[in-house]
Amino acid sequence: MSVRNRWSRRLFVATFLVPPLLLYGIFVVSPYAQAFQIAGTNWGGLSPDYDFVGLDNFRRIVDDKYFWNALKHNAILLVLLPVVTIVLGLFFASMISVGGRRDRVGVHGVRGAGVYRVVYFFPQVLSVAIIGVLWKEMYSPNSGLINGALEAVGLGSLAQPWLGDPRFAFWCVALVLLWSNVGFYVVLFSAAMQSIPRDIYEAALLDGANRVTTLLRVTVPLVWDTIQVAWVYLAILAIDAFAVVQIITDGGPGFSSDVVGLRLYDTAFKEAHFGYASAIGVAMFFLTLTVAAMFLRVTRRDRVEL
């Protein structure tokens, strides 16, 4: 290839790569960099005046009981959300994809599998705002569907002010996060299972494997790459969880359902401490990066070739 042709090719590639990279740098990388800068100041968000305080904001995080309370809730979600979502997603996807009756045709999915996938995926069609408002109304103590259903079946004694009781508020939000995410991973795992040859399932059937054994010894190893990606995404969601919490409980009552993302938001926009809020954001950045790297490391295993 001549020098002229090489330069023409590089110019052609640069013409398509430079503009999007420039936009990405301005609108994505630049705000991240500014957050690191603001984290070292006492900026209030409105006045152009501020002073550099160095690492004082990060020292403040160490002594901030509200931050550690929020982080505790994120830690619970970090354990609960990926585990329960992936287990339920694998179970439902397995039932849809290979849970039908085993006959002379072989192993196949249940009847109406496409309909089930649509039903499970439906929460993904709704925006986070709609999901939050919908469940907030369902939890309403007087007119909510949950207490109304309990009254209708004669279990009115179990009715509670769900979002107004510190014992239940956080778990109510966790339930919403599970409900809104399981369906997506059911469809994702179902798609991954479609690539597994049915001969493998039929061989497991001939060897006398039951459904649980087939799921654990055949399906899970063959879709492990997909499970690993799901685990990382759910971990990131658990560290954030801002939108649903802010809409349903706003961290209450008494900070009983607070999360770090909401703590950052309140610190910046309600207390006007943008410098400290940026320090919380930087801490979240490194926490998310660490958790993602750790999950990828822990869940790494040899790829199973078909």
Side-chain angles (χ1 to χ4, degrees):
M1 183 182 293
S2 66
V3 175
R4 183 176 179 180
N5 288 337
R6 284 201 301 268
W7 277 107
S8 298
R9 183 177 179 181
R10 291 173 182 175
L11 180 61
F12 177 77
V13 173
T15 302
F16 286 93
L17 286 182
V18 171
L21 288 176
L22 185 62
L23 291 174
Y24 183 82
I26 293 173
F27 293 106
V28 178
V29 177
S30 176
Y32 272 105
Q34 292 179 50
F36 279 82
Q37 177 190 2
I38 296 171
T41 71
N42 62 355
W43 185 45
L46 298 177
S47 171
D49 300 324
Y50 61 86
D51 297 316
F52 284 98
V53 296
L55 299 177
D56 287 353
N57 286 327
F58 295 98
R59 297 190 186 99
R60 180 179 171 185
I61 290 178
V62 176
D63 298 324
D64 188 349
K65 64 179 182 179
Y66 297 107
F67 172 82
W68 290 105
N69 173 68
L71 186 61
K72 179 189 70 174
H73 295 143
N74 283 107
I76 296 173
L77 289 176
L78 189 59
V79 175
L80 179 70
L81 188 60
V83 172
V84 177
T85 301
I86 290 175
V87 169
L88 291 178
L90 284 171
F91 173 75
F92 290 131
S94 179
M95 292 298 100
I96 290 174
S97 301
V98 294
R101 291 184 178 181
R102 298 168 174 175
D103 49 32
R104 61 183 180 180
V105 178
V107 178
H108 49 79
V110 296
R111 292 182 179 178
V115 176
Y116 287 119
R117 290 191 183 96
V118 171
V119 172
Y120 284 126
F121 192 78
F122 177 73
Q124 300 299 314
V125 180
L126 305 176
S127 69
V128 176
I130 293 176
I131 291 174
V133 173
L134 174 67
W135 277 91
K136 187 174 183 178
E137 291 300 318
M138 290 178 63
Y139 283 128
S140 176
N142 297 320
S143 59
L145 178 63
I146 295 176
N147 281 350
L150 291 174
E151 293 282 354
V153 297
L155 297 175
S157 60
L158 298 179
Q160 301 287 339
W162 302 104
L163 301 181
D165 193 326
R167 297 175 300 170
F168 302 120
F170 171 75
W171 301 108
C172 290
V173 173
L175 178 62
V176 175
L177 289 170
L178 289 171
W179 176 85
S180 62
N181 285 283
V182 166
F184 174 80
Y185 292 97
V186 170
V187 175
L188 181 66
F189 294 148
S190 295
M193 291 176 189
Q194 295 303 313
S195 64
I196 302 176
R198 288 297 181 268
D199 295 346
I200 296 178
Y201 287 112
E202 292 170 5
L205 174 63
L206 292 174
D207 288 340
N210 56 32
R211 294 185 187 275
V212 176
T213 303
T214 302
L215 175 62
L216 296 179
R217 298 296 180 88
V218 177
T219 303
V220 170
L222 293 177
V223 300
W224 187 257
D225 288 347
T226 305
I227 295 173
Q228 186 183 45
V229 172
W231 207 289
V232 173
Y233 274 103
L234 287 166
I236 294 173
L237 176 63
I239 294 174
D240 180 18
F242 161 75
V244 171
V245 174
Q246 199 271 340
I247 294 170
I248 297 180
T249 65
D250 199 21
F255 301 98
S256 61
S257 61
D258 200 10
V259 291
V260 175
L262 184 60
R263 184 92 322 264
L264 185 157
Y265 175 85
D266 288 346
T267 301
F269 295 100
K270 292 184 179 181
E271 302 173 13
H273 294 159
F274 274 74
Y276 182 51
S278 295
I280 295 176
V282 171
M284 283 186 64
F285 169 78
F286 284 110
L287 176 63
T288 304
L289 194 64
T290 301
V291 168
M294 181 186 68
F295 271 49
L296 286 172
R297 177 71 177 177
V298 170
T299 58
R300 187 175 64 181
R301 58 187 296 177
D302 294 333
R303 183 185 180 92
V304 178
E305 299 290 346
L306 296 177

